[in-house]
Amino acid sequence: MPPLLTYAARVSDGLPLVASFSPTQETMDQHKREAKHILRGLTGNSRSAAKMSIETSKSKIFHYLIKENICYLTLTEQAYPKRLAFLYLDEVADTFLESLFQSFGDLWRQKVETAARPYAFIQFDPVLQRKQREFVDPSSRQNADKLNKDLSDIHSIMRKNIEQVLDRGEKLENVSQISSSLVDESKKFKWGAKKLTWQAVINQYGPFVAMGIFVIFVLYIKFFL
């Protein structure tokens, strides 16, 4: 079963930019209302997750993904693989943004931000319909390959993160060793500084002390011996 409906909406106010619906759903009006309620709920909510799944009635699940301040929302059967649903939204987002750039160039963000009416980009509906057809059968070879590639990418990212952590651990260990060496060196420097201070005092006052001792010695011999 393909994604049943798909919206691309502006996050700032929930305005639908383009949407595509499955014609076979009797309860589609109810799900449309639920979808718009979710999109409006994202407005001004700084804590909104970048992606989320929301269970609804009749064994259906909404999935949404936010990219470039545009929310991509779809509805699937509960049995539809969640990872595949987000892969679908990822491809819809990338294709939609690419189409916007091809049509408006660097002004595409301004076009999205200043759109005043719902479904102002309905001309991109064929983009959504084409992607929906590609994701009709979760068990197809094409979609299975997409899932495997996604899993491989996740493992690659995990390996990279682990390597970074290990590398960071080695760097921390090196920093610790350097820190210990600096502490030892500072202790040596502190002792050396004290030694130099005493030497300076001796050099400065030593002759006077020696002279005083000599005078006392002479007087002692003269008067007591």
Side-chain angles (χ1 to χ4, degrees), residues 133-161:
R133 289 193 296 270
E134 291 178 8
F135 284 80
V136 167
D137 183 6
S139 61
S140 70
R141 176 67 179 274
Q142 182 183 16
N143 288 327
D145 289 344
K146 289 179 181 179
L147 284 172
N148 289 333
K149 182 180 183 301
D150 181 60
L151 186 61
S152 175
D153 290 342
I154 291 173
H155 286 168
S156 175
I157 292 171
M158 289 178 64
R159 284 196 299 271
K160 183 178 180 182
N161 289 341

Side-chain angles (χ1 to χ4, degrees), residues 46-197:
S46 59
R47 296 183 179 179
S48 297
K51 61 169 60 176
M52 183 176 287
S53 297
I54 303 171
E55 292 187 8
T56 184
S57 58
K58 302 184 183 301
S59 300
K60 305 291 192 301
I61 300 182
F62 282 104
H63 309 277
Y64 76 73
L65 172 73
I66 296 176
K67 277 189 177 182
E68 298 286 353
N69 294 319
I70 298 175
C71 179
Y72 302 90
L73 176 75
T74 191
L75 177 71
T76 67
E77 299 286 351
Q78 199 168 38
Y80 196 88
K82 184 181 295 186
R83 278 181 41 233
L84 191 61
F86 282 112
L87 285 175
Y88 165 70
L89 291 175
D90 261 322
E91 291 196 16
V92 166
D94 292 342
T95 306
F96 182 57
L97 292 173
E98 182 181 352
S99 300
L100 286 173
F101 184 78
Q102 288 177 351
S103 297
F104 307 111
D106 293 333
L107 297 177
W108 72 265
R109 286 187 177 85
Q110 181 181 346
K111 292 290 184 179
V112 169
E113 292 170 358
T114 57
R117 58 183 177 83
Y119 309 108
F121 300 89
I122 195 65
Q123 69 269 29
F124 297 115
D125 177 56
V127 172
L128 302 187
Q129 291 185 12
R130 184 174 71 252
K131 284 299 172 185
Q132 280 182 326
R133 289 193 296 270
E134 291 178 8
F135 284 80
V136 167
D137 183 6
S139 61
S140 70
R141 176 67 179 274
Q142 182 183 16
N143 288 327
D145 289 344
K146 289 179 181 179
L147 284 172
N148 289 333
K149 182 180 183 301
D150 181 60
L151 186 61
S152 175
D153 290 342
I154 291 173
H155 286 168
S156 175
I157 292 171
M158 289 178 64
R159 284 196 299 271
K160 183 178 180 182
N161 289 341
I162 291 172
E163 289 171 359
Q164 289 175 343
V165 169
L166 293 175
D167 184 53
R168 191 181 302 121
E170 291 177 359
K171 289 179 180 178
L172 289 174
E173 185 177 354
N174 291 337
V175 169
S176 177
Q177 292 174 352
I178 293 171
S179 177
S180 298
S181 298
L182 288 174
V183 169
D184 293 337
E185 291 298 326
S186 66
K187 290 180 179 178
K188 293 179 182 178
F189 176 80
K190 188 175 181 180
W191 165 246
K194 287 183 178 179
K195 187 175 179 181
L196 289 173
T197 300

